[in-house]
Amino acid sequence: MLSIRSFFNLLIIILLTTTSWSLSAQDTARVTTTPSGQSIPDTLLFKIQKAQSIITEIKATEKKNYGITRIRSGLNSIKSNVAPVIADVQTHRKTASAQNLSNYSLILNDALEKLAGWRTSLAKANNELQTQLDQVLALSNDTLLNVVSTDTTGKKLYAEQLVDLKFQLQNAGTRTSVRLDTVSRLLADVSGTFLTISNLQTTINEQVSQSNANVLRRESPYLWNAPATFKPDNVQTILQSSYQGQDKILKYFFTSTWDNRFLLIIMAGLFFFWVFSNFKKASQPPLKEKIGPLDFKHIRPMPIVASLIFLFNVAPLFEPQSPSVYIEITQFLLLVVLTVHLWKRFSKQELRLWLLNAVLYIVLIITKAVVGDSVVLRIWLIVLNVCFIYIGFSFAKRLHRKYTSDRIIRPVIRIYLILQLLAILLNVFGRISLAKTFGITATVGLVQITGLGLFIDIFLEALELQIKVSASSNGIFSRINSNQTRQSFKKGLVFIAIALWLLVFFINLGIADTIYSFIYQILTRPRSFGSITFTLSNILSFSAIVYLSSLLQKNIGLLFGESHLPTTTGNEVVKVSSVLALVRLAIIVLGVLLAVAASGISVDKFTVVLGALSVGIGLG
């Protein structure tokens, strides 16, 4: 009996458990009841909803376009920019200058950066489209979304919707497949271009390293062993490839540094407005009688030529890392402007000499681009160097002394002659690229020194006009020593002129970046003094700010009419003196604070000094 009762109990438990599992399964797999009473599993509705979601996602993706048009246009632009670089590097495989190769390297780095970004973007788009296509294919092949004759009445209720959904999936799959093919092809093109440019970059880097390592080694046969063949077709090809390569360098340079030239044009415009407005003021009847006749050699009431001379002289200051071709163009434009300015001031012999220099300058630039191993072109380059040596001697005797002091022209002429002689020797012994560099550097330096001499004279005449206008209208120059001001400005202008000449000199030699990096490392290298860490740039900034603040507080009285204080009443003297003392004190305090901040010293370490200074100010 006990065994039978146990058996029935066990059977009841099994039945209850089975029923519970059945109810639980029915609750988990919910059903949808149609109006007619038939039920359809939610799995079908889920697949329909998923298919509609994929179709909607594909339609939204089609609006993105993934920047395909922009990338394709940019890729074509990069290919057109790189093609002349490849041609020039292959044509001038031995004689390409290190500076041109460095400029090409900058262009290629920029192209590689863009290509890397495009490749990442296209790879992401490719994966997204591939995922969408896989989902569309999976849903298209899903038998649950197909309607056949054996389907139940419940599934047939969705037959029309499933047929339409199938059609939409096919269209979406076709469109996605086409877009995926477009993106894949563009991605392959971008990747191939990236690989090509990477290899070219490696080649250029190797040539730059080899050029720097073999700077004085022979790259071509000695002049007496040079081939005598001369093919005009080859010269035309070399000239064309060189022009296209330099053109790409200039376009890249102009695009990446347009803001510097914008500031340069603004500076030249301010100079023009300064001179123009002062001439306009000086022409007014009240001031005209006080100033008297204006007799200037280089500035006019409409100072267009003077402003252009100013523009082309200071241009290297705004482009310290410019390519040599940019310097050659600006110096040629300066040569044209100087010719216009000095045309009537030259004697006939001086004018012939100046025009000969201008013509030879153009010929040298063209020869520099085409000269190679051929003995004919190398001898022609030597002839040009000899002509420039004659011009250098003639300039030193007859022309430059009119516009430049002897202390400046003598070392420049010596450097000029040494470089021209070295250019001849290097050409003879097979170092052609260095010979071309020395020749063009010397020639540009000789043109520039004349322009800088006129630049100093033009600026001093503009300052003289300002002094006369200000002194006649009781301005600030009526209360200061004009002679001392002229001397100070002249010293500053001479310093700027020397700096500009050296900058252009180093750019043409191709060592400006090396010198800049060397100076930068010296100035920014951390140094320690006890617990204080500083750099030489911090010390220079500290010294400059303290000097300028000291200079400003000494001369700030000119704005308050300090030189006229003794002629005023006692109360006015006290009031102005009190205000002036406070202004000077504020300048000193502000200058010290800025100097400490620029020095890199923590203000916390300067707390004790600031406390003592505040006590002193309070007592004062």
Side-chain angles (χ1 to χ4, degrees), residues 43 66 88 133 169 230 255 380 402 502 505 614 616:
T43 307
Y66 297 111
D88 193 37
L133 184 60
L169 284 173
F230 176 75
T255 303
W380 171 245
K402 289 185 177 182
L502 289 175
F505 181 77
S614 63

Side-chain angles (χ1 to χ4, degrees), residues 44 48 52 145-148 151 153-168:
L44 176 60
I48 292 174
Q52 290 175 342
L145 297 177
N146 295 330
V147 180
V148 295
D151 286 333
T153 307
K155 191 176 180 182
K156 288 183 178 180
L157 294 175
Y158 292 87
E160 185 177 349
Q161 183 177 354
L162 290 175
V163 171
D164 181 67
L165 192 63
K166 198 81 171 181
F167 179 74
Q168 292 185 42

Side-chain angles (χ1 to χ4, degrees), residues 306-544:
S307 299
L308 289 176
I309 293 175
F310 175 88
L311 174 71
F312 293 124
N313 271 295
V314 302
L317 197 61
F318 287 80
E319 307 286 359
Q321 294 180 316
S322 57
S324 59
V325 63
Y326 174 76
I327 297 297
E328 293 169 6
I329 292 175
T330 55
Q331 293 304 309
F332 173 74
L333 295 175
L334 177 62
L335 182 62
V336 173
V337 175
L338 292 177
T339 304
V340 174
H341 182 69
L342 299 174
W343 188 275
K344 295 182 180 180
R345 294 173 176 82
F346 281 147
S347 64
K348 291 183 179 181
Q349 188 174 5
E350 291 172 345
L351 182 60
R352 284 196 297 267
L353 185 64
W354 180 264
L355 294 178
L356 176 63
N357 180 62
V359 172
L360 290 178
Y361 181 83
I362 299 173
V363 174
L364 179 63
I365 292 177
I366 298 174
T367 304
K368 174 191 170 186
V370 300
V371 69
D373 294 339
S374 174
V375 66
V376 177
L377 292 175
R378 290 171 64 177
I379 291 177
W380 171 245
L381 183 60
I382 291 175
V383 171
L384 288 178
N385 294 135
V386 173
C387 293
F388 279 115
I389 290 175
Y390 165 75
I391 290 175
F393 278 115
S394 301
F395 270 30
K397 292 180 180 179
R398 303 173 184 174
L399 192 60
H400 273 81
R401 295 178 188 272
K402 289 185 177 182
Y403 307 106
T404 310
S405 63
D406 289 341
R407 288 188 301 176
I408 297 177
I409 190 60
R410 285 177 182 173
V412 171
I413 289 296
R414 290 172 184 171
I415 294 174
Y416 171 87
L417 294 175
I418 290 172
L419 288 178
Q420 294 290 1
L421 290 172
L422 286 176
I424 295 174
L425 293 176
L426 290 169
N427 189 351
V428 171
F429 289 101
R431 195 61 178 92
I432 300 175
S433 60
L434 201 58
K436 294 188 293 185
T437 300
F438 281 5
I440 197 67
T441 300
T443 306
V444 169
L446 193 63
V447 173
Q448 188 191 15
I449 199 63
T450 303
L452 290 173
L454 284 172
F455 164 76
I456 294 174
D457 290 341
I458 288 172
F459 203 93
L460 289 177
E461 287 188 358
L463 178 64
E464 183 68 24
L465 176 61
Q466 177 67 54
I467 290 174
K468 289 184 176 181
V469 172
S470 179
S472 301
S473 57
N474 296 325
I476 190 172
F477 282 100
S478 63
R479 302 191 293 271
I480 63 176
N481 189 333
S482 300
N483 292 328
Q484 185 178 359
T485 303
R486 293 186 186 94
Q487 292 300 321
S488 299
F489 269 92
K490 186 173 183 179
K491 291 179 181 178
L493 290 171
V494 170
F495 175 79
I496 293 174
I498 294 174
L500 285 170
W501 191 88
L502 289 175
L503 178 61
V504 172
F505 181 77
F506 292 139
I507 289 175
N508 284 322
L509 285 180
I511 59 176
D513 291 338
T514 304
I515 294 176
Y516 175 79
S517 299
F518 175 73
I519 296 175
Y520 180 79
Q521 291 178 359
I522 292 177
L523 292 178
T524 58
R525 182 180 179 181
R527 306 173 192 275
S528 300
F529 182 76
S531 61
I532 300 175
T533 302
F534 64 94
T535 62
L536 291 180
S537 62
N538 296 141
I539 296 177
L540 290 176
S541 300
F542 180 89
S543 303

